[in-house]
Structures are given as C-alpha cells and as structure tokens.
Amino acid sequence: MQVSDIADRYDERLCPGDYEDAATNGVQVGPLDGEVERVAFAVDAAVATVEEAIEWGADLLVVHHGVVWGGLDAVTGREYDRIRPLVDAGCALYAAHLPLDGHPELGNAAQLADALDVENRAPFGAHAGEHVGVRGTFTEPTTADDLASTLEAELDTGDQPVQTLDFGPDELSEVAILTGSGSDWLREAEAAGVDALVTGEGKGKLYHEAREAGVSVFLGGHYATETFGVRALQSLAGEWGVETAFLSHPTSL
C-alpha cells in the first residue's frame, strides 16, 4: 500500500473539501508513492512526535495538527526542524484538522460522545456551513462532579484536573461537545438549550458568559480532548493491514 492509497481512503471518509480550514488537510509532506508498512499516529506534528515516529520506523505519520497552516512562506526555523527529519527519513505526513473534528463517527467530538454515553445526537458547532461538534442527551442524567470524574478517567490530561464552571442545573441531561478550542460556541450551546458544554480550553470571558447563560462548562484540555480522532484513524489503518502505533505526548493544556 502506498501513501497515496491511505490518503485517498482517509479523504473519502473525512471529505476535507467540505471544510473551510486554516490548515492544509491531506498529505503535507511526501512522497505520495512511498510504500507504507508502518503508520504512526499523534495529535501534533511536533519535533518530539516526528522524531519518535522516525525512530519507530514509520513510513507515514498521521496527525490532527500538522505543519502547514495557511500555506508556508518559507521552510525555516521551527517548520524546518519538523519537516527536515521527515524528508531525510522518507516519512510522509498526513494531517486532518477540522474534518477530524466534525466527522459524525470518526471525529473527536463524536468519539468523546461515545465515551460519555451520549445519544440522540445532532450536529453542533457551526463553522462556514459545516459542523465541528455534536450535541445530544446523556443516557442517564449526571452531576457536574460525576461528569468531571468521568472526563478525568477518559482523557489523557497529564494528571491535570478537568476545570469545571458549574453554572448549569444540578442534574445535567443535555450536552454539547466541541473539542480543542471550542469555548467560542457557548452562545450556540445556550441557544440549543443544553445544560453543559464539554470542550478543551477556555478564554477569560468564558467564566461570566457561562454563568450568565446558566451552562456548566468542562475544560478537559486541548490535547486531551483531541486524541480520539487520530485513534479512530489508527483503528482504520489497522484494518487495512499496516502496523500502527500511537505516540502519546500529553501537554496538560
């Protein structure tokens, strides 16, 4: 199997052309005709994950956050440090950003919703005509403390607690999930009538906005909430007969 074969299979599932994205989705570093026996998966294409992938002998590294955002004016500095080892080792890089947030089955939000037993799902997190999150109903109502505990058990937070803004009702039934930097969608969560918003990181204004909206917000960390999508892509690759490895580099952020 070649790099282009795997990329085509992922593109067919993720439909990257449907998303308006600051990131370049797809193969960011060649070779397209490279033979693939080993595929490494990571959230971030950082120097640490690139070096680990190459040390493991990966022919392809698949990530959520790649190295090309809005194009590259020059391959110098940090970009050079990340790209050069891939080129030297003949290891390709495939990235899926918003398409991997919004996919209704493989996406970060959908996979986290699976872990939280969320049913009756609908799209959430409108972005340029598409959605990058989900909302739905907990199988059983829960409390803020119990939801935070569940998230801490499910997420690779680097031993950091899940931050909770407990401004919703005592029993939480309806939830919106938008991983990573999803706090800007609080107003949509309020308009949807949910009790809770689960995301990765927040901004200073979020405290008062959540309090005024009467919505409980749970901040599990940008990295921690976005391991799910690449792990789902890893499972697919395993079905295609290649050897896979997940490279864990939690940031506690």
Side-chain angles (χ1 to χ4, degrees), residues 23-30 45 63 65-69 72 83 92-96:
T24 296
N25 292 293
V27 178
Q28 294 188 349
V29 179
V63 299
H65 301 131
V67 297
V68 183
W69 300 84
L72 281 175
I83 293 173
L93 175 69
Y94 178 96

mmCIF file with all atom_site columns, all heavy atoms in Angstrom, residues 23-30 45 63 65-69 72 83 92-96:
data_model
loop_
_atom_site.group_PDB
_atom_site.id
_atom_site.type_symbol
_atom_site.label_atom_id
_atom_site.label_alt_id
_atom_site.label_comp_id
_atom_site.label_asym_id
_atom_site.label_entity_id
_atom_site.label_seq_id
_atom_site.pdbx_PDB_ins_code
_atom_site.Cartn_x
_atom_site.Cartn_y
_atom_site.Cartn_z
_atom_site.occupancy
_atom_site.B_iso_or_equiv
_atom_site.pdbx_formal_charge
_atom_site.auth_seq_id
_atom_site.auth_comp_id
_atom_site.auth_asym_id
_atom_site.auth_atom_id
_atom_site.pdbx_PDB_model_num
ATOM 1   N N   . ALA A 1 23 ? -5.980 25.075 8.126  1.00 0.00 ? 23 ALA A N   1
ATOM 2   C CA  . ALA A 1 23 ? -4.962 24.042 7.939  1.00 0.00 ? 23 ALA A CA  1
ATOM 3   C C   . ALA A 1 23 ? -5.070 23.427 6.557  1.00 0.00 ? 23 ALA A C   1
ATOM 4   O O   . ALA A 1 23 ? -6.146 23.397 5.952  1.00 0.00 ? 23 ALA A O   1
ATOM 5   C CB  . ALA A 1 23 ? -5.119 22.956 8.999  1.00 0.00 ? 23 ALA A CB  1
ATOM 6   N N   . THR A 1 24 ? -3.959 22.909 6.063  1.00 0.00 ? 24 THR A N   1
ATOM 7   C CA  . THR A 1 24 ? -3.966 22.095 4.858  1.00 0.00 ? 24 THR A CA  1
ATOM 8   C C   . THR A 1 24 ? -4.267 20.663 5.260  1.00 0.00 ? 24 THR A C   1
ATOM 9   O O   . THR A 1 24 ? -3.520 20.057 6.037  1.00 0.00 ? 24 THR A O   1
ATOM 10  C CB  . THR A 1 24 ? -2.606 22.163 4.139  1.00 0.00 ? 24 THR A CB  1
ATOM 11  O OG1 . THR A 1 24 ? -2.391 23.501 3.697  1.00 0.00 ? 24 THR A OG1 1
ATOM 12  C CG2 . THR A 1 24 ? -2.578 21.228 2.940  1.00 0.00 ? 24 THR A CG2 1
ATOM 13  N N   . ASN A 1 25 ? -5.381 20.128 4.767  1.00 0.00 ? 25 ASN A N   1
ATOM 14  C CA  . ASN A 1 25 ? -5.776 18.767 5.096  1.00 0.00 ? 25 ASN A CA  1
ATOM 15  C C   . ASN A 1 25 ? -5.325 17.822 3.992  1.00 0.00 ? 25 ASN A C   1
ATOM 16  O O   . ASN A 1 25 ? -5.472 18.110 2.803  1.00 0.00 ? 25 ASN A O   1
ATOM 17  C CB  . ASN A 1 25 ? -7.292 18.685 5.269  1.00 0.00 ? 25 ASN A CB  1
ATOM 18  C CG  . ASN A 1 25 ? -7.768 19.443 6.485  1.00 0.00 ? 25 ASN A CG  1
ATOM 19  O OD1 . ASN A 1 25 ? -7.460 19.064 7.617  1.00 0.00 ? 25 ASN A OD1 1
ATOM 20  N ND2 . ASN A 1 25 ? -8.507 20.522 6.278  1.00 0.00 ? 25 ASN A ND2 1
ATOM 21  N N   . GLY A 1 26 ? -4.760 16.693 4.403  1.00 0.00 ? 26 GLY A N   1
ATOM 22  C CA  . GLY A 1 26 ? -4.251 15.735 3.438  1.00 0.00 ? 26 GLY A CA  1
ATOM 23  C C   . GLY A 1 26 ? -2.760 15.532 3.633  1.00 0.00 ? 26 GLY A C   1
ATOM 24  O O   . GLY A 1 26 ? -2.207 15.796 4.711  1.00 0.00 ? 26 GLY A O   1
ATOM 25  N N   . VAL A 1 27 ? -2.088 15.070 2.592  1.00 0.00 ? 27 VAL A N   1
ATOM 26  C CA  . VAL A 1 27 ? -0.651 14.828 2.674  1.00 0.00 ? 27 VAL A CA  1
ATOM 27  C C   . VAL A 1 27 ? 0.067  16.172 2.631  1.00 0.00 ? 27 VAL A C   1
ATOM 28  O O   . VAL A 1 27 ? -0.020 16.909 1.664  1.00 0.00 ? 27 VAL A O   1
ATOM 29  C CB  . VAL A 1 27 ? -0.170 13.921 1.522  1.00 0.00 ? 27 VAL A CB  1
ATOM 30  C CG1 . VAL A 1 27 ? 1.342  13.726 1.613  1.00 0.00 ? 27 VAL A CG1 1
ATOM 31  C CG2 . VAL A 1 27 ? -0.878 12.572 1.569  1.00 0.00 ? 27 VAL A CG2 1
ATOM 32  N N   . GLN A 1 28 ? 0.790  16.482 3.696  1.00 0.00 ? 28 GLN A N   1
ATOM 33  C CA  . GLN A 1 28 ? 1.543  17.738 3.780  1.00 0.00 ? 28 GLN A CA  1
ATOM 34  C C   . GLN A 1 28 ? 3.011  17.552 3.419  1.00 0.00 ? 28 GLN A C   1
ATOM 35  O O   . GLN A 1 28 ? 3.670  18.499 2.999  1.00 0.00 ? 28 GLN A O   1
ATOM 36  C CB  . GLN A 1 28 ? 1.427  18.328 5.197  1.00 0.00 ? 28 GLN A CB  1
ATOM 37  C CG  . GLN A 1 28 ? 0.026  18.770 5.558  1.00 0.00 ? 28 GLN A CG  1
ATOM 38  C CD  . GLN A 1 28 ? -0.019 19.525 6.879  1.00 0.00 ? 28 GLN A CD  1
ATOM 39  O OE1 . GLN A 1 28 ? 0.956  19.555 7.633  1.00 0.00 ? 28 GLN A OE1 1
ATOM 40  N NE2 . GLN A 1 28 ? -1.158 20.138 7.165  1.00 0.00 ? 28 GLN A NE2 1
ATOM 41  N N   . VAL A 1 29 ? 3.530  16.364 3.614  1.00 0.00 ? 29 VAL A N   1
ATOM 42  C CA  . VAL A 1 29 ? 4.913  16.046 3.250  1.00 0.00 ? 29 VAL A CA  1
ATOM 43  C C   . VAL A 1 29 ? 4.892  14.700 2.533  1.00 0.00 ? 29 VAL A C   1
ATOM 44  O O   . VAL A 1 29 ? 4.267  13.754 3.024  1.00 0.00 ? 29 VAL A O   1
ATOM 45  C CB  . VAL A 1 29 ? 5.827  15.968 4.501  1.00 0.00 ? 29 VAL A CB  1
ATOM 46  C CG1 . VAL A 1 29 ? 7.249  15.612 4.092  1.00 0.00 ? 29 VAL A CG1 1
ATOM 47  C CG2 . VAL A 1 29 ? 5.805  17.281 5.279  1.00 0.00 ? 29 VAL A CG2 1
ATOM 48  N N   . GLY A 1 30 ? 5.556  14.608 1.363  1.00 0.00 ? 30 GLY A N   1
ATOM 49  C CA  . GLY A 1 30 ? 5.563  13.390 0.558  1.00 0.00 ? 30 GLY A CA  1
ATOM 50  C C   . GLY A 1 30 ? 6.512  12.346 1.130  1.00 0.00 ? 30 GLY A C   1
ATOM 51  O O   . GLY A 1 30 ? 6.974  12.491 2.261  1.00 0.00 ? 30 GLY A O   1
ATOM 52  N N   . ALA A 1 45 ? 2.065  17.319 15.065 1.00 0.00 ? 45 ALA A N   1
ATOM 53  C CA  . ALA A 1 45 ? 3.303  17.093 14.318 1.00 0.00 ? 45 ALA A CA  1
ATOM 54  C C   . ALA A 1 45 ? 4.375  18.006 14.894 1.00 0.00 ? 45 ALA A C   1
ATOM 55  O O   . ALA A 1 45 ? 4.768  19.005 14.291 1.00 0.00 ? 45 ALA A O   1
ATOM 56  C CB  . ALA A 1 45 ? 3.097  17.373 12.835 1.00 0.00 ? 45 ALA A CB  1
ATOM 57  N N   . VAL A 1 63 ? -1.569 12.901 11.771 1.00 0.00 ? 63 VAL A N   1
ATOM 58  C CA  . VAL A 1 63 ? -1.775 13.803 12.906 1.00 0.00 ? 63 VAL A CA  1
ATOM 59  C C   . VAL A 1 63 ? -3.052 14.616 12.729 1.00 0.00 ? 63 VAL A C   1
ATOM 60  O O   . VAL A 1 63 ? -3.610 14.703 11.640 1.00 0.00 ? 63 VAL A O   1
ATOM 61  C CB  . VAL A 1 63 ? -0.585 14.775 13.072 1.00 0.00 ? 63 VAL A CB  1
ATOM 62  C CG1 . VAL A 1 63 ? 0.709  14.023 13.337 1.00 0.00 ? 63 VAL A CG1 1
ATOM 63  C CG2 . VAL A 1 63 ? -0.451 15.679 11.860 1.00 0.00 ? 63 VAL A CG2 1
ATOM 64  N N   . HIS A 1 65 ? -2.976 17.979 14.146 1.00 0.00 ? 65 HIS A N   1
ATOM 65  C CA  . HIS A 1 65 ? -2.355 19.285 13.928 1.00 0.00 ? 65 HIS A CA  1
ATOM 66  C C   . HIS A 1 65 ? -1.067 19.096 13.138 1.00 0.00 ? 65 HIS A C   1
ATOM 67  O O   . HIS A 1 65 ? -0.089 18.576 13.669 1.00 0.00 ? 65 HIS A O   1
ATOM 68  C CB  . HIS A 1 65 ? -2.042 19.966 15.271 1.00 0.00 ? 65 HIS A CB  1
ATOM 69  C CG  . HIS A 1 65 ? -3.235 20.174 16.139 1.00 0.00 ? 65 HIS A CG  1
ATOM 70  N ND1 . HIS A 1 65 ? -3.259 19.814 17.478 1.00 0.00 ? 65 HIS A ND1 1
ATOM 71  C CD2 . HIS A 1 65 ? -4.449 20.703 15.877 1.00 0.00 ? 65 HIS A CD2 1
ATOM 72  C CE1 . HIS A 1 65 ? -4.443 20.115 17.987 1.00 0.00 ? 65 HIS A CE1 1
ATOM 73  N NE2 . HIS A 1 65 ? -5.187 20.645 17.031 1.00 0.00 ? 65 HIS A NE2 1
ATOM 74  N N   . GLY A 1 66 ? -1.087 19.514 11.877 1.00 0.00 ? 66 GLY A N   1
ATOM 75  C CA  . GLY A 1 66 ? 0.068  19.333 11.023 1.00 0.00 ? 66 GLY A CA  1
ATOM 76  C C   . GLY A 1 66 ? 1.034  20.499 11.088 1.00 0.00 ? 66 GLY A C   1
ATOM 77  O O   . GLY A 1 66 ? 1.102  21.237 12.081 1.00 0.00 ? 66 GLY A O   1
ATOM 78  N N   . VAL A 1 67 ? 1.774  20.700 10.000 1.00 0.00 ? 67 VAL A N   1
ATOM 79  C CA  . VAL A 1 67 ? 2.794  21.753 9.959  1.00 0.00 ? 67 VAL A CA  1
ATOM 80  C C   . VAL A 1 67 ? 2.450  22.867 8.975  1.00 0.00 ? 67 VAL A C   1
ATOM 81  O O   . VAL A 1 67 ? 3.154  23.869 8.924  1.00 0.00 ? 67 VAL A O   1
ATOM 82  C CB  . VAL A 1 67 ? 4.185  21.171 9.598  1.00 0.00 ? 67 VAL A CB  1
ATOM 83  C CG1 . VAL A 1 67 ? 4.654  20.203 10.669 1.00 0.00 ? 67 VAL A CG1 1
ATOM 84  C CG2 . VAL A 1 67 ? 4.166  20.496 8.230  1.00 0.00 ? 67 VAL A CG2 1
ATOM 85  N N   . VAL A 1 68 ? 1.378  22.702 8.200  1.00 0.00 ? 68 VAL A N   1
ATOM 86  C CA  . VAL A 1 68 ? 1.013  23.706 7.197  1.00 0.00 ? 68 VAL A CA  1
ATOM 87  C C   . VAL A 1 68 ? -0.310 24.345 7.586  1.00 0.00 ? 68 VAL A C   1
ATOM 88  O O   . VAL A 1 68 ? -1.360 23.709 7.564  1.00 0.00 ? 68 VAL A O   1
ATOM 89  C CB  . VAL A 1 68 ? 0.911  23.093 5.787  1.00 0.00 ? 68 VAL A CB  1
ATOM 90  C CG1 . VAL A 1 68 ? 0.602  24.196 4.759  1.00 0.00 ? 68 VAL A CG1 1
ATOM 91  C CG2 . VAL A 1 68 ? 2.192  22.364 5.411  1.00 0.00 ? 68 VAL A CG2 1
ATOM 92  N N   . TRP A 1 69 ? -0.222 25.626 7.939  1.00 0.00 ? 69 TRP A N   1
ATOM 93  C CA  . TRP A 1 69 ? -1.400 26.403 8.332  1.00 0.00 ? 69 TRP A CA  1
ATOM 94  C C   . TRP A 1 69 ? -1.447 27.667 7.468  1.00 0.00 ? 69 TRP A C   1
ATOM 95  O O   . TRP A 1 69 ? -0.628 28.554 7.629  1.00 0.00 ? 69 TRP A O   1
ATOM 96  C CB  . TRP A 1 69 ? -1.319 26.799 9.815  1.00 0.00 ? 69 TRP A CB  1
ATOM 97  C CG  . TRP A 1 69 ? -1.258 25.612 10.726 1.00 0.00 ? 69 TRP A CG  1
ATOM 98  C CD1 . TRP A 1 69 ? -0.155 24.899 11.084 1.00 0.00 ? 69 TRP A CD1 1
ATOM 99  C CD2 . TRP A 1 69 ? -2.362 24.978 11.377 1.00 0.00 ? 69 TRP A CD2 1
ATOM 100 N NE1 . TRP A 1 69 ? -0.490 23.871 11.926 1.00 0.00 ? 69 TRP A NE1 1
ATOM 101 C CE2 . TRP A 1 69 ? -1.840 23.892 12.126 1.00 0.00 ? 69 TRP A CE2 1
ATOM 102 C CE3 . TRP A 1 69 ? -3.731 25.226 11.402 1.00 0.00 ? 69 TRP A CE3 1
ATOM 103 C CZ2 . TRP A 1 69 ? -2.648 23.060 12.881 1.00 0.00 ? 69 TRP A CZ2 1
ATOM 104 C CZ3 . TRP A 1 69 ? -4.535 24.395 12.163 1.00 0.00 ? 69 TRP A CZ3 1
ATOM 105 C CH2 . TRP A 1 69 ? -4.000 23.328 12.893 1.00 0.00 ? 69 TRP A CH2 1
ATOM 106 N N   . LEU A 1 72 ? 2.808  27.915 3.467  1.00 0.00 ? 72 LEU A N   1
ATOM 107 C CA  . LEU A 1 72 ? 4.158  28.124 4.002  1.00 0.00 ? 72 LEU A CA  1
ATOM 108 C C   . LEU A 1 72 ? 4.891  29.140 3.134  1.00 0.00 ? 72 LEU A C   1
ATOM 109 O O   . LEU A 1 72 ? 5.027  28.946 1.924  1.00 0.00 ? 72 LEU A O   1
ATOM 110 C CB  . LEU A 1 72 ? 4.944  26.812 4.014  1.00 0.00 ? 72 LEU A CB  1
ATOM 111 C CG  . LEU A 1 72 ? 4.655  25.819 5.140  1.00 0.00 ? 72 LEU A CG  1
ATOM 112 C CD1 . LEU A 1 72 ? 5.445  24.539 4.901  1.00 0.00 ? 72 LEU A CD1 1
ATOM 113 C CD2 . LEU A 1 72 ? 5.003  26.399 6.491  1.00 0.00 ? 72 LEU A CD2 1
ATOM 114 N N   . ILE A 1 83 ? 10.037 19.478 9.472  1.00 0.00 ? 83 ILE A N   1
ATOM 115 C CA  . ILE A 1 83 ? 9.912  18.896 8.145  1.00 0.00 ? 83 ILE A CA  1
ATOM 116 C C   . ILE A 1 83 ? 11.179 18.155 7.714  1.00 0.00 ? 83 ILE A C   1
ATOM 117 O O   . ILE A 1 83 ? 11.098 17.078 7.102  1.00 0.00 ? 83 ILE A O   1
ATOM 118 C CB  . ILE A 1 83 ? 9.547  19.986 7.120  1.00 0.00 ? 83 ILE A CB  1
ATOM 119 C CG1 . ILE A 1 83 ? 8.122  20.503 7.408  1.00 0.00 ? 83 ILE A CG1 1
ATOM 120 C CG2 . ILE A 1 83 ? 9.640  19.465 5.693  1.00 0.00 ? 83 ILE A CG2 1
ATOM 121 C CD1 . ILE A 1 83 ? 7.723  21.698 6.569  1.00 0.00 ? 83 ILE A CD1 1
ATOM 122 N N   . ALA A 1 92 ? 6.279  10.195 5.236  1.00 0.00 ? 92 ALA A N   1
ATOM 123 C CA  . ALA A 1 92 ? 5.246  11.136 4.815  1.00 0.00 ? 92 ALA A CA  1
ATOM 124 C C   . ALA A 1 92 ? 4.446  11.615 6.019  1.00 0.00 ? 92 ALA A C   1
ATOM 125 O O   . ALA A 1 92 ? 4.446  10.990 7.091  1.00 0.00 ? 92 ALA A O   1
ATOM 126 C CB  . ALA A 1 92 ? 4.327  10.485 3.788  1.00 0.00 ? 92 ALA A CB  1
ATOM 127 N N   . LEU A 1 93 ? 3.752  12.739 5.829  1.00 0.00 ? 93 LEU A N   1
ATOM 128 C CA  . LEU A 1 93 ? 2.918  13.319 6.886  1.00 0.00 ? 93 LEU A CA  1
ATOM 129 C C   . LEU A 1 93 ? 1.536  13.604 6.324  1.00 0.00 ? 93 LEU A C   1
ATOM 130 O O   . LEU A 1 93 ? 1.383  14.293 5.314  1.00 0.00 ? 93 LEU A O   1
ATOM 131 C CB  . LEU A 1 93 ? 3.532  14.620 7.403  1.00 0.00 ? 93 LEU A CB  1
ATOM 132 C CG  . LEU A 1 93 ? 2.708  15.408 8.431  1.00 0.00 ? 93 LEU A CG  1
ATOM 133 C CD1 . LEU A 1 93 ? 2.638  14.642 9.755  1.00 0.00 ? 93 LEU A CD1 1
ATOM 134 C CD2 . LEU A 1 93 ? 3.291  16.800 8.649  1.00 0.00 ? 93 LEU A CD2 1
ATOM 135 N N   . TYR A 1 94 ? 0.519  13.062 6.989  1.00 0.00 ? 94 TYR A N   1
ATOM 136 C CA  . TYR A 1 94 ? -0.886 13.309 6.631  1.00 0.00 ? 94 TYR A CA  1
ATOM 137 C C   . TYR A 1 94 ? -1.551 13.990 7.808  1.00 0.00 ? 94 TYR A C   1
ATOM 138 O O   . TYR A 1 94 ? -1.418 13.550 8.955  1.00 0.00 ? 94 TYR A O   1
ATOM 139 C CB  . TYR A 1 94 ? -1.602 11.994 6.318  1.00 0.00 ? 94 TYR A CB  1
ATOM 140 C CG  . TYR A 1 94 ? -3.073 12.152 5.973  1.00 0.00 ? 94 TYR A CG  1
ATOM 141 C CD1 . TYR A 1 94 ? -3.488 12.216 4.643  1.00 0.00 ? 94 TYR A CD1 1
ATOM 142 C CD2 . TYR A 1 94 ? -4.045 12.216 6.967  1.00 0.00 ? 94 TYR A CD2 1
ATOM 143 C CE1 . TYR A 1 94 ? -4.834 12.361 4.319  1.00 0.00 ? 94 TYR A CE1 1
ATOM 144 C CE2 . TYR A 1 94 ? -5.386 12.361 6.652  1.00 0.00 ? 94 TYR A CE2 1
ATOM 145 C CZ  . TYR A 1 94 ? -5.782 12.431 5.324  1.00 0.00 ? 94 TYR A CZ  1
ATOM 146 O OH  . TYR A 1 94 ? -7.115 12.577 5.012  1.00 0.00 ? 94 TYR A OH  1
ATOM 147 N N   . ALA A 1 95 ? -2.298 15.079 7.550  1.00 0.00 ? 95 ALA A N   1
ATOM 148 C CA  . ALA A 1 95 ? -2.974 15.819 8.615  1.00 0.00 ? 95 ALA A CA  1
ATOM 149 C C   . ALA A 1 95 ? -4.464 15.944 8.313  1.00 0.00 ? 95 ALA A C   1
ATOM 150 O O   . ALA A 1 95 ? -4.864 16.143 7.163  1.00 0.00 ? 95 ALA A O   1
ATOM 151 C CB  . ALA A 1 95 ? -2.361 17.209 8.774  1.00 0.00 ? 95 ALA A CB  1
ATOM 152 N N   . ALA A 1 96 ? -5.268 15.820 9.344  1.00 0.00 ? 96 ALA A N   1
ATOM 153 C CA  . ALA A 1 96 ? -6.714 16.028 9.243  1.00 0.00 ? 96 ALA A CA  1
ATOM 154 C C   . ALA A 1 96 ? -7.139 16.891 10.416 1.00 0.00 ? 96 ALA A C   1
ATOM 155 O O   . ALA A 1 96 ? -7.122 16.437 11.565 1.00 0.00 ? 96 ALA A O   1
ATOM 156 C CB  . ALA A 1 96 ? -7.458 14.701 9.251  1.00 0.00 ? 96 ALA A CB  1
#
